[in-house]
Amino acid sequence: MPKKAKLKALLAQKAEEERLAREAEEKRLAEQRVKIKALKKEFAEVRRQDLMKETARLKEEFHEYRTEESTVHKKLREIDAEIRKRHDWQEFLSCSELPDPNDAPQLNSFITMQQEEIGKHSVDLVKVLQVCNKSSEMLRIIEDAMAEYIQEGDNGAGYERLQKSRDCLREKTLNFLDQVTLNLLRHGEQMVDKHGILLRGASNGGLNLGLWIRYPDESKQKNSDVADISWKDIGASLARLPMELRIVRTGVRFLQIDFDQVSTKAKKLQAYVSVGGLFKISRIDIPVEATRPRGWLRQDENDSTRDLSVLKYPKNGIDNGMLDIQVEVKIPESVFIPANALTTWRIGWWDAEKETWVFDGVREGFKIDEKTRSLSLKVWRMECFAILQPRSLDFPYIEWRLICNTEEKGPSVTLTLTGSRYEVKIKISADGARLVYPEIPSFSEKPMATGSLLFGLQRAGLNLIPTQEDAKFCCKTPKTQKLLEKANSCIASVAGVLDIMSSNYSCSQGPNAALIKIREKNYSPPPKKVVEEKQEEEESAPALSKEELKQLEIQREKAAERKELIAVMTKETAEDRKNKAISDDKDGWRTALALDTKWMLPKASRFHLRKNKYEVAEGMETHLTLKLCVSSVFPDAAKEFANANLLLQRNVRRVLNLVDVLTFH
């Protein structure tokens, strides 16, 4: 046969084979589509049946849950009424002058009485600070009341009213301090020393006020060059004053307060937060002094005599290298000084125009004496300064654990939050919460209200109360409020009975799902099985007949075909199949999944987020609460749920609402 004819025959044969292969493939795909359609119908029916059963089960559980929740709330109200009664009696016996923070008329009367007690023309610095310290105590009470709202997830009208009261009281406190400063400026020339200088300082609680007024006398000019200012009463000093401040008629005020009244009003989120309040160094103008002709008090009514006038220093706001002032200030006792303070802390001043903290007015490098709690730094401008640290220094959390304290007398748990700096441990009991580590005297001595502890730690520099804005700042997807409320409540309901910890895959589940791990308390690993060598030969399994082997092979082929059809139908990838088989459940831990409306114990710890496939573990069912999910897995623990301590559960829930471990892990 000629070569051309042979080649033509081969090409025709090849084309025929390709045609037959295409037809076979089309036939196979058509059969596959029919099978997939039947499989989808089967799965839809199974899913419909499962959904009906699940809906009926959850509906039944919901009625039981509401009844149980109503009973719990009733018991807690009775307990709260008894606690409130004892507290009111103690307040009555102590004859406290401080009003109820939720009573607006009482709070207004408190502020009015303070104004009357101080007076408009008072120059008694000690008395004014005593009155202002009462305001500081009242501010703590208001903040504790605000914490009560936040830890219950309530940011409504009651919280906003307290917030306005807090801001108003802060402003009034600052106004009182400005007024006494202005009064001393007006009449200070009668109280100067031989150098023509008036030096006053007073401290009370978290408030420190120092005043230095310079009245130059030309006849004593050579003896009046004072380069250093020291307020021993408040532990603050300004050294190496520039010549501009030594020989002119001027005043310098040092004010240290234990709250931040500037950055909290800013509209944009700050990358740094203040620690322990603010310390403000100001150059102030001395108003025209008053005269008393024929017994009458005469003052010029202008801006310099009505209001405290703060002068800019330096005048042009430019650093010329010769304006440095050595500042020494005492760090408040309530502030926690970390071991790495020199690297985590920064000193900055508040730029009111830009509404941000800036650092150009402070020379690099500052010193901290932990024994005397003194902070030394150099500044070249007079502004409102603060100790600053990064906003997200202590979160997101690397890991968190809620472990039962089985060796304690009363029921309690320890919450461990592993952050970038410390492994913070908080002991939670029916009496409240107490800081275990790091040890800070004012927070580690006795149990406190959960909100008071965490907000106090926040002021001390250990911030464990992240917000929704912090989630955006940390690039975290915030969990929905509905999920957080339900999940935190369910976790608290098993606290003290089960150990709970974080799951490494929770953050990847999106805003509507969260993963945790649970385990029985006092868990001990099972002993390793020792395999003894058998001397006798094991009996071999009975051999299967040819017909049985054939049937087994057919079953395997059908199972493989069904598995392949499911993979095609669901577009499942090799990565999906791998994730289905992955589980980090070990050492007795079981993974639990929280959704908006239900809980389940899933097959695996990883899930494909886009496909949102959550499969219940074999033999398990979805339930309304975590308590119902674990009852079949941990039967011994289920018996303890009925005797759980309600106050402990509430305190755990409040702490979880504040630290928000589900979002920030």
Side-chain angles (χ1 to χ4, degrees):
M1 182 182 290
K3 291 183 178 180
K4 289 185 177 180
K6 187 176 182 179
L7 181 60
K8 188 176 181 180
L10 288 174
L11 291 174
Q13 182 181 358
K14 186 176 180 182
E16 181 65 17
E17 290 176 354
E18 290 177 353
R19 184 185 66 79
L20 293 174
R22 282 197 305 271
E23 290 178 354
E25 180 65 17
E26 289 174 359
K27 183 179 179 181
R28 187 189 69 81
L29 291 175
E31 292 175 353
Q32 187 185 71
R33 284 192 292 271
V34 172
K35 292 178 181 179
I36 288 176
K37 186 177 180 180
L39 196 60
K40 283 183 177 180
K41 188 176 180 180
E42 177 189 343
F43 276 20
E45 180 62 23
V46 172
R47 176 60 182 161
R48 189 181 69 82
Q49 294 291 338
D50 290 344
L51 190 59
M52 288 176 60
K53 293 178 182 178
E54 182 185 70
T55 304
R57 183 175 61 253
L58 295 179
K59 187 176 181 180
E60 183 181 352
E61 290 175 355
F62 177 76
H63 292 299
E64 296 176 359
Y65 172 74
R66 294 292 293 179
T67 303
E68 181 184 353
E69 188 180 42
S70 177
T71 304
V72 169
H73 286 173
K74 183 179 178 181
K75 290 180 180 178
L76 286 174
R77 283 195 298 269
E78 292 174 356
I79 295 172
D80 288 341
E82 187 63 28
I83 294 173
R84 184 66 182 174
K85 185 177 179 181
R86 291 199 300 266
H87 178 267
D88 291 344
W89 179 246
Q90 290 174 357
E91 288 289 315
F92 176 76
L93 293 178
S94 63
C95 299
S96 176
E97 299 177 358
L98 303 178
D100 183 352
N102 292 299
D103 192 329
Q106 285 189 21
L107 199 57
N108 292 334
S109 299
F110 173 75
I111 296 174
T112 303
M113 289 175 64
Q114 282 192 313
Q115 292 174 336
E116 294 176 354
E117 186 176 356
I118 292 176
K120 292 184 178 180
H121 305 290
S122 175
V123 293
D124 190 345
L125 202 56
V126 175
K127 181 181 178 181
V128 172
L129 283 185
Q130 286 177 350
V131 174
C132 290
N133 188 50
K134 292 181 183 178
S135 296
S136 296
E137 294 176 7
M138 191 62 224
L139 283 171
R140 292 290 172 265
I141 295 175
I142 292 176
E143 289 172 353
D144 289 344
M146 292 171 64
E148 291 286 335
Y149 281 97
I150 295 177
Q151 66 191 3
E152 293 293 346
D154 182 5
N155 296 341
Y159 175 80
E160 292 178 356
R161 184 180 64 253
L162 287 172
Q163 193 174 34
K164 290 179 181 178
S165 299
R166 181 199 64 182
D167 294 341
C168 176
L169 197 54
R170 284 179 174 179
E171 290 293 341
K172 288 293 182 182
T173 300
L174 295 177
N175 290 341
F176 292 154
L177 297 174
D178 287 348
Q179 186 61 46
V180 71
T181 301
L182 187 58
N183 291 339
L184 283 169
L185 288 173
R186 286 170 174 168
H187 310 291
E189 197 163 3
Q190 304 171 10
M191 299 176 279
V192 298
D193 60 10
K194 62 181 181 179
H195 298 293
I197 294 173
L198 172 65
L199 185 66
R200 289 288 186 274
S203 174
N204 201 312
L207 301 174
N208 296 320
L209 178 61
L211 192 61
W212 180 85
I213 306 175
R214 177 76 168 77
Y215 297 97
D217 187 349
E218 296 180 358
S219 62
K220 301 177 181 179
Q221 187 71 32
K222 60 181 180 180
N223 298 324
S224 60
D225 187 5
V226 178
D228 301 332
I229 305 173
S230 177
W231 294 283
K232 296 181 180 179
D233 296 336
I234 62 177
S237 64
L238 304 179
R240 303 174 186 174
L241 292 180
M243 189 62 65
E244 181 181 351
L245 300 176
R246 298 186 194 179
I247 59 175
V248 296
R249 178 187 178 91
T250 189
V252 175
R253 186 177 76 159
F254 175 86
L255 174 62
Q256 187 175 16
I257 55 179
D258 56 357
F259 55 83
D260 183 355
Q261 187 67 353
V262 291
S263 66
T264 53
K265 294 183 177 181
K267 296 179 181 178
K268 60 181 181 180
L269 195 68
Q270 302 297 315
Y272 288 84
V273 293
S274 60
V275 177
L278 313 171
F279 60 97
K280 188 175 183 179
I281 306 171
S282 309
R283 180 181 180 182
I284 49 181
D285 187 24
I286 302 177
V288 178
E289 62 272 19
T291 59
R292 289 183 177 271
R294 299 180 182 180
W296 292 88
L297 179 66
R298 177 181 175 181
Q299 293 179 332
D300 293 335
E301 284 294 330
N302 53 48
D303 292 340
S304 65
T305 59
R306 280 198 303 266
D307 300 315
L308 186 65
S309 178
V310 178
L311 303 177
K312 190 174 181 180
Y313 179 85
K315 293 181 180 180
N316 55 7
I318 299 175
D319 178 22
N320 61 10
M322 302 177 64
L323 302 172
D324 289 4
I325 302 174
Q326 183 71 38
V327 180
E328 184 170 332
V329 57
K330 188 175 182 180
I331 301 172
E333 294 291 336
S334 61
V335 173
F336 170 58
I337 303 178
N340 57 348
L342 295 178
T343 56
T344 58
W345 281 2
R346 298 186 70 179
I347 311 298
W349 60 277
W350 180 252
D351 190 332
E353 294 181 0
K354 298 179 180 179
E355 287 194 340
T356 187
W357 293 105
V358 292
F359 307 97
D360 63 351
V362 183
R363 299 298 183 196
E364 290 186 4
F366 58 90
K367 297 179 181 179
I368 298 175
D369 188 339
E370 294 188 16
K371 292 182 179 179
T372 60
R373 301 185 65 86
S374 63
L375 170 68
S376 301
L377 66 152
K378 282 184 179 181
V379 300
W380 58 266
R381 61 191 308 156
M382 293 186 176
E383 299 287 352
C384 182
F385 296 94
I387 300 172
L388 304 173
Q389 68 182 22
R391 186 179 194 87
S392 58
L393 183 61
D394 296 304
F395 53 79
Y397 313 115
I398 300 171
E399 183 185 82
W400 63 271
R401 289 175 179 253
L402 195 62
I403 306 299
C404 305
N405 297 327
T406 55
E407 298 179 359
E408 301 287 338
K409 293 182 179 179
S412 64
V413 296
T414 298
L415 175 64
T416 303
L417 300 170
T418 305
S420 61
R421 291 193 297 172
Y422 297 103
E423 188 178 72
V424 180
K425 294 184 178 182
I426 300 173
K427 180 183 174 183
I428 309 171
S429 64
D431 298 327
R434 178 175 64 86
L435 181 67
V436 177
Y437 185 85
E439 189 173 350
I440 305 176
S442 54
F443 303 106
S444 303
E445 294 170 352
K446 60 181 181 179
M448 307 168 58
T450 54
S452 300
L453 173 68
L454 290 170
F455 276 91
L457 289 175
Q458 186 183 53
R459 290 190 296 268
L462 199 59
N463 186 13
L464 303 174
I465 311 179
T467 62
Q468 294 295 314
E469 290 78 10
D470 292 322
K472 298 176 184 177
F473 187 79
C474 299
C475 300
K476 285 283 184 180
T477 302
K479 305 295 183 184
T480 62
Q481 191 63 31
K482 183 179 179 181
L483 174 67
L484 290 176
E485 290 177 1
K486 182 71 180 296
N488 289 339
S489 179
C490 288
I491 292 172
S493 68
V494 301
V497 180
L498 298 175
D499 290 340
I500 309 162
M501 71 170 293
S502 56
S503 171
N504 294 330
Y505 308 109
S506 181
C507 61
S508 63
Q509 301 310 305
N512 299 308
L515 289 170
I516 62 169
K517 291 184 185 179
I518 52 176
R519 184 179 71 179
E520 285 186 291
K521 64 180 179 182
N522 297 327
Y523 171 80
S524 57
K528 295 182 180 179
K529 296 180 180 180
V530 179
V531 181
E532 298 180 356
E533 296 182 1
K534 297 182 180 180
Q535 297 180 359
E536 299 180 359
E537 294 183 359
E538 296 182 355
E539 295 182 1
S540 59
L544 299 176
S545 64
K546 290 183 178 180
E547 187 64 27
E548 290 174 335
L549 288 173
K550 187 177 180 181
Q551 292 295 330
L552 184 63
E553 186 66 25
I554 292 173
Q555 290 176 5
R556 288 176 178 172
E557 289 177 359
K558 287 183 178 180
E561 183 184 6
R562 183 181 176 87
K563 187 176 181 180
E564 183 181 352
L565 287 173
I566 292 173
V568 173
M569 181 180 69
T570 59
K571 299 180 181 179
E572 191 177 57
T573 64
E575 182 67 21
D576 296 335
R577 290 192 290 273
K578 179 181 176 183
N579 287 340
K580 273 188 176 182
I582 289 179
S583 174
D584 59 349
D585 294 348
K586 55 185 178 180
D587 298 331
W589 293 104
R590 289 291 301 267
T591 299
L593 171 69
L595 299 171
D596 284 342
T597 56
K598 58 188 177 183
W599 281 82
M600 70 172 72
L601 300 181
K603 275 186 178 179
S605 302
R606 292 188 191 175
F607 306 99
H608 198 296
L609 179 61
R610 179 176 60 83
K611 296 180 180 177
N612 198 25
K613 295 195 174 202
Y614 304 116
E615 297 183 15
V616 184
E618 191 172 346
M620 297 287 108
E621 294 178 331
T622 58
H623 288 283
L624 187 67
T625 64
L626 177 61
K627 191 189 298 184
L628 294 173
C629 276
V630 302
S631 296
S632 58
V633 182
F634 306 120
D636 294 337
K639 299 175 184 178
E640 298 183 40
F641 289 144
N643 301 321
N645 189 292
L646 298 181
L647 288 177
L648 170 63
Q649 291 180 358
R650 183 171 67 176
N651 287 335
V652 170
R653 176 175 56 82
R654 287 176 169 179
V655 171
L656 292 178
N657 285 342
L658 290 174
V659 299
D660 198 0
V661 290
L662 296 181
T663 297
F664 289 87
H665 168 254

